Amino acid sequence: SMRDLVTQVETPLRQAIVHLLEAADPAIGAEDRIAAARILARLGDPRFPVELAQWRNEPFPTDFGGTGYWRALLAGTYTIGGWEEGEKRVKLPSFWIARYPITVAQYAQFVDAGGYGAKAERWWTKQGWQWKRRNSGQVAPYRWGELSYHRENQPMRAISWYEATAFCTWLSELLKDTLPKDHIVRLPTEAEWEAAASFAPNEPRRDYPWGANEPTPEQAIYDASGLSMPAPVGCCPAGAAACGALDMAGNVWEWCASDWKSYPQGSAKEQKDLTAGDWVVLRGGSYYQDRTSVRCGARDRGLPDTIVGDNGFRIVVAARSH
């Protein structure tokens, strides 16, 4: 029967591909990993939570890093900025960062829950809702459903800061009973993002998430990867940050909750809403940028309503700021 076929073929195949993607084996090239991950999209990629029950079952580790979807960064003082000079020591409370950028499959749950509908206003910032109403055609993400944009395990892309923050508010509401007390889901501040990318216990901070070595396509998805779109998330296990987060370098630029101008001094301050004229920071580089953009110190900026093909986002769980 069809069910037997699924049990005998799909389940072992799914497990084999996940194993292949998790192991930083130099014998397996990035192209093969990407091809395997695209097959995994069709089988159902189990590496990140999609359904509510899966989100609720994700543990919050108490030690640095961890092994699941959420990766822990502990409270402490982190070096931020000044990759050439003028670095700042910034105090951060503990937080958890998602292992991958938010995927299409995860974002589709927000769309299906009416995230772009008439009753969604409570999830959007005031400025974001006004932007959405001005774009009266904004009833779904840009080019929603096109395969080059929306394969299930690719990072969401061509998404504005307003859409990314609305997703975070929606997910916070959905998980309010299972998040640690007084914590919310939101975009990382620039300091949180940079700490997660560059910090490693008992060693100097890293130039690249994986260390000091110059990038190769085994470590990051950037122009040398030769792709015309982002890869599925997590195809470069050799490029993991010390905390275990993947794709911190390359694949898609990631929106942060910080004002572009406030770096590094104000990089730990969360911006709760932004007007269409405010520059907001993006971090991490993307699939068509060169190697200078996959450094932990590389920065870009966009207006919160900008929709560019290589802008995505990643989330953190952090203490609610009052």
Side-chain angles (χ1 to χ4, degrees):
S1 75
M2 195 65 197
R3 190 186 296 149
D4 292 339
L5 193 67
V6 168
T7 312
Q8 287 166 11
V9 178
E10 285 198 2
T11 305
L13 181 58
R14 191 185 290 123
Q15 288 166 343
I17 295 174
V18 169
H19 184 72
L20 173 94
L21 293 171
E22 296 284 338
D25 180 350
I28 303 160
E31 283 179 24
D32 291 338
R33 289 177 196 279
I34 292 166
R38 286 180 176 155
I39 294 167
L40 190 58
R42 293 201 292 273
L43 295 171
D45 190 333
R47 296 175 299 153
F48 46 84
V50 175
E51 306 287 338
L52 177 58
Q54 294 169 323
W55 280 108
R56 286 185 167 160
N57 285 333
E58 287 292 344
F60 291 96
T62 49
D63 297 332
F64 173 77
T67 54
Y69 181 74
W70 297 114
R71 299 301 171 124
L73 273 290
L74 306 181
T77 305
Y78 292 87
T79 302
I80 303 295
W83 293 89
E84 283 79 38
E85 58 192 290
E87 66 191 33
K88 286 277 177 246
R89 302 283 287 158
V90 175
K91 279 183 96 142
L92 295 178
S94 62
F95 65 96
W96 292 271
I97 193 159
R99 192 174 186 205
Y100 311 105
I102 288 296
T103 64
V104 170
Q106 290 172 317
Y107 198 85
Q109 297 281 317
F110 170 62
V111 178
D112 292 349
Y116 287 76
K119 298 185 175 133
E121 186 171 357
R122 70 181 186 278
W123 299 321
W124 293 73
T125 67
K126 190 164 167 240
Q127 299 288 342
W129 189 251
Q130 286 172 359
W131 165 77
K132 189 177 155 328
R133 288 183 61 184
R134 282 197 301 275
N135 298 320
S136 52
Q138 198 71 32
V139 293
Y142 179 72
R143 295 173 79 164
W144 186 237
E146 285 184 31
L147 195 59
S148 66
Y149 277 76
H150 298 125
R151 193 180 262 110
E152 291 87 344
N153 61 3
Q154 271 179 204
M156 259 319 272
R157 65 168 174 138
I159 191 159
S160 68
W161 187 86
Y162 292 137
E163 290 165 284
T165 52
F167 173 90
C168 291
T169 307
W170 165 78
L171 189 57
S172 282
E173 187 182 290
L174 207 62
L175 299 182
K176 62 180 186 292
D177 299 334
T178 46
L179 291 173
K181 186 171 160 41
D182 287 332
H183 280 59
I184 57 166
V185 177
R186 60 164 168 78
L187 295 178
T189 63
E190 188 169 15
E192 287 167 340
W193 192 99
E194 192 175 299
S198 64
F199 174 77
N202 308 316
E203 60 175 79
R205 74 172 171 165
R206 297 176 169 186
D207 292 335
Y208 301 97
W210 54 86
N213 301 347
E214 293 283 310
T216 70
E218 304 311 309
Q219 292 157 321
I221 305 292
Y222 64 112
D223 65 355
S225 309
L227 300 181
S228 60
M229 65 181 93
V233 298
C235 287
C236 298
C243 68
L246 291 159
D247 295 8
M248 296 295 282
N251 222 6
V252 289
W253 284 103
E254 299 179 10
W255 288 112
C256 294
S258 295
D259 170 68
W260 159 264
K261 299 184 296 294
S262 64
Y263 182 78
Q265 293 84 346
S267 61
K269 184 177 188 312
E270 177 205 351
Q271 298 293 329
K272 291 187 166 67
D273 199 2
L274 293 162
T275 70
D278 291 323
W279 287 106
V280 58
V281 76
L282 293 136
R283 297 298 299 257
S286 85
Y287 68 94
Y288 68 76
Q289 247 106 14
D290 66 22
R291 60 199 308 163
T292 59
S293 294
V294 296
R295 294 172 295 114
C296 291
R299 306 173 71 227
D300 197 6
R301 63 181 186 170
L303 297 168
D305 60 355
T306 308
I307 292 179
V308 180
D310 59 344
N311 288 355
F313 70 107
R314 175 189 309 259
I315 57 176
V316 296
V317 167
R320 188 186 295 278
S321 61
H322 300 290

